[in-house]
Amino acid sequence: MTTPDEFTISRRCLLKAGAATASVPALVTAAPAIAAPPRTAGDAALSPVTLNVNGKVHRLSLDTRTTLLDALREHLHLTGTKKGCDHGQCGACTVMLDGRRINSCLTLAVMHEGAKVTTIEGLGTPGKLHPMQAAFVKHDGYQCGYCTPGQICSAVGMLGEIAQGIPSHVTEDLGAKPPLSSVEFRERMSGNICRCGAYSNIVEAITEVAGVNA
Ligand code: FES
Ligand code: FES
C-alpha cells in the first residue's frame, strides 16, 4: 500500500518530469518551419481537359476526380444522361465515347482529352429524332423513362459493335459476323437495367432499327 511519504516523493518526481518535458515544445518551435504543399482552389488538383460533346468543343478545368458523368451533368448541364447507381451496375449513364458506348460513371473526364462524346441530347432533336429514339417511342420502350437515355445510347453503340463483328458471350460462331438476333440484343443490352421492366418493348424497338425479324 502507498504511504503518504511515498506519495509525496512520487508526486515530486512527477512534477520534475513535467517541468522537463515542458521545455520540449520550445525546442520544436525553434526548428525551421517546413513549407506546406501548394494548394489549388478548393484544395483539389484541377486539370484542364478539352471534350467535344455533341459536336461542340468544351474547355474545362476539372478536379481530376470528376467522372465523365459528373462533368456532363454538373459542369455542362447535360442532364439527359442519368446517374442511377454511380457504380457501373445499371447503365443509366451510358454515352458514346469516340464511337463506343461507355458507362460514364466509371471513367474520369481528364482521361479523355480531345475525345468525342455523344449524349442523348446529341443523338437527335425533338423535331428530328434519331431512328432509335423514334423506335423507342413507337414501341413504348419505356415507362418512367429514367433508364431510357442510357438504353438508347447503348442500343446505338450495340448495333455498331455487331456491325464491326465484335462477338458477345452468346455468339456461337466466332469466325462469322454476329447475327442480329434477339438473343444477341438481350445479351449485349444486359448491362442496361430497366426497373420498369420494359425489356420486351426495348428489344422490339432495337429489332426494328436493325431491320430484321429477330
Ligand atoms: Fe453508371 Fe449506373 S450510373 S452504371
Ligand atoms: Fe423506368 Fe426503364 S423505363 S427504369
Side-chain angles (χ1 to χ4, degrees):
M1 187 175 169
T2 307
T3 66
D5 281 353
E6 284 171 339
F7 177 76
T8 304
I9 292 167
S10 301
R11 186 169 173 274
R12 193 171 294 132
C13 290
L14 201 66
L15 289 172
K16 279 183 183 172
T21 54
S23 61
V24 172
L27 293 174
V28 171
T29 50
I34 298 171
R39 297 281 186 169
T40 53
D43 285 344
L46 299 182
S47 184
V49 63
T50 301
L51 298 173
N52 182 325
V53 183
N54 300 331
K56 191 173 171 191
V57 175
H58 297 272
R59 291 181 179 80
L60 302 168
S61 182
L62 298 175
D63 181 330
T64 51
R65 300 164 294 183
T66 306
T67 63
L68 179 58
L69 174 61
D70 284 341
L72 293 170
R73 287 182 56 86
E74 309 300 333
H75 294 264
L76 299 179
H77 307 295
L78 292 168
T79 54
T81 306
K82 301 298 185 233
K83 181 181 283 189
C85 63
D86 211 17
H87 282 79
Q89 295 173 349
C90 74
C93 64
T94 307
V95 298
M96 303 290 288
L97 182 83
D98 289 333
R100 297 285 302 273
R101 56 183 171 161
I102 188 172
N103 285 341
S104 60
C105 71
L106 283 189
T107 191
L108 300 175
V110 294
M111 293 166 61
H112 303 290
E113 172 64 28
K116 285 186 180 174
V117 181
T118 304
T119 69
I120 191 69
E121 291 94 340
L123 276 184
T125 62
K128 191 178 180 206
L129 296 178
H130 183 282
M132 192 64 79
Q133 291 172 313
F136 266 66
V137 172
K138 177 180 173 185
H139 292 278
D140 274 340
Y142 52 85
Q143 287 182 40
C144 77
Y146 196 81
C147 73
T148 311
Q151 298 277 4
I152 291 174
C153 287
S154 188
V156 171
M158 183 264 299
L159 291 182
E161 288 161 17
I162 293 179
Q164 292 172 50
I166 299 172
S168 75
H169 288 297
V170 298
T171 306
E172 292 184 3
D173 185 354
L174 297 181
K177 190 173 170 184
L180 291 164
S181 66
S182 66
V183 175
E184 285 282 351
F185 297 160
R186 287 176 187 276
E187 165 61 21
R188 290 168 188 266
M189 293 294 291
S190 60
N192 289 82
I193 307 301
C194 176
R195 293 157 183 83
C196 297
Y199 295 114
S200 59
N201 295 21
I202 290 170
V203 170
E204 283 179 18
I206 294 171
T207 301
E208 177 170 307
V209 175
V212 292
N213 293 318

